Amino acid sequence: MRLLAQLRSRRGSPSLVLRLSLLLALTFAASGMSLQAQSWCSTPPRVWWASVERVPVRDAWFRVHRVGPGVLAIYEPGNYQEVISYLITGTRRALLFDTGMGMSRIADVVRELTPLPVTVVNSHTHHDHVGGNAEFGRVLAMNTAFTRRSAKGATHATVADEVAVGAVCTSALPAAFDTAQYHIRPFRTTGVVRDGSTIDLGGRVLEVLHVPGHTPDAIALVDRAAGALFTGDTFYAGPIYLFSPGTDLAAYGRSVDRLAALVPSLKVLHPAHNTGRVDPTVLLKVRDTFQAARAGRLPFVERANGVVKFEGEGFSFLMRRGIQ
């Protein structure tokens, strides 16, 4: 049975997926079946990852894959969010785009992978992308109220769903990890990025694009020379969450339009969940599907708590009913 595996489709406010996971857990228990035997924890990561080179690291919580020249995807398949952070290297320094769940020390993995000085930049500051920020001395961020609130961290009560039954593979966690104490540590930003900021890594320049909508502080990074776009949560191959606090659908539409306009110059997308490399032409479908959904031209499926789902090709949108 792959029902729990099918729920591994990600992102920041997990309650919707968790309710389904817990319901399945109760069903398995009632029928005398082993949750562990039936869960996605006992299955391999997504098949896609077998198509890209794996880079060995000591920490079993992380799987690292080379997804482009000087680009390593640091993947966390043991949590249903399947978050991906990216280590992007130049000749003089490296940039870590997001720091994941904070369930194991991503800084130790980064030190294994590069001797270069590392700067952290976040695609946005939902907790599943800033969990390891406190491990680094240089963190650049947008200057928004949303970012400043996120920098205060998150209590266990706020993020407990991330370590609930059905949400995390406890067997993959570090031995010292205590699910009852899991929280997001506060972090300090040491500098500001804004739309149009450039970060020179030596032989590689990354440009910051402010793409609000999913959150007010959402950004993408573009390496124009390589034709690579790091999309954060503005796009990934899965249900894109557009119902959380801070979501602005009008802003999201403008941001998707902006990214879709880049498609002729792009060779690859690197999203923040599920798979580490996607054909950039999907952004045209994302733009058109989102416009059709907001205009009422697309059918939807009712989900829990007033959320509706609009299907695209290899992605979908989850939005509040009546506000699209």
Side-chain angles (χ1 to χ4, degrees), residues 3-15:
L3 290 176
L4 280 175
Q6 293 166 12
L7 294 175
R8 300 176 72 195
S9 33
R10 52 123 297 103
R11 222 246 45 95
S13 175
S15 58

Side-chain angles (χ1 to χ4, degrees), residues 74-96:
I74 305 175
Y75 176 48
E76 299 182 49
N79 177 272
Y80 85 98
Q81 301 260 21
E82 293 186 84
V83 70
I84 308 168
S85 307
Y86 291 95
L87 182 63
I88 310 163
T89 57
T91 58
R92 296 194 305 273
R93 55 183 58 87
L95 183 144
L96 182 61

Side-chain angles (χ1 to χ4, degrees), residues 123 142 144 195 209-220 234 242 246-256 258:
S123 64
M142 294 290 290
T144 73
D195 189 57
L209 305 179
H210 185 207
V211 286
H214 178 67
T215 63
D217 61 353
I219 65 170
T234 301
L242 297 175
T247 297
D248 181 329
L249 294 182
Y252 180 81
R254 292 190 294 270
S255 293
V256 168
R258 182 183 188 186

Side-chain angles (χ1 to χ4, degrees), residues 100-128:
M101 302 295 302
M103 293 183 179
S104 193
R105 284 188 56 83
I106 194 170
D108 293 346
V109 173
V110 169
R111 276 193 289 271
E112 276 189 75
L113 298 171
T114 182
L116 295 170
V118 175
T119 298
V120 167
V121 178
N122 296 113
S123 64
H124 62 298
T125 55
H126 275 152
H127 64 259
D128 51 323

Side-chain angles (χ1 to χ4, degrees), residues 164-196:
V165 174
V168 66
C169 299
T170 54
S171 60
L173 288 167
F177 185 84
D178 183 356
T179 57
Q181 299 298 319
Y182 175 60
H183 64 285
I184 304 298
R185 287 185 289 165
F187 61 90
R188 185 173 67 90
T189 59
T190 58
V192 172
V193 292
R194 53 183 59 86
D195 189 57

Side-chain angles (χ1 to χ4, degrees), residues 7 12 88 131 136 146 149 180 182 204 222-223 294 298:
L7 294 175
I88 310 163
F136 295 87
F146 188 92
R149 285 193 299 272
Y182 175 60
R204 166 177 262 146
V222 60
D223 180 339
R294 291 207 75 199
L298 203 65

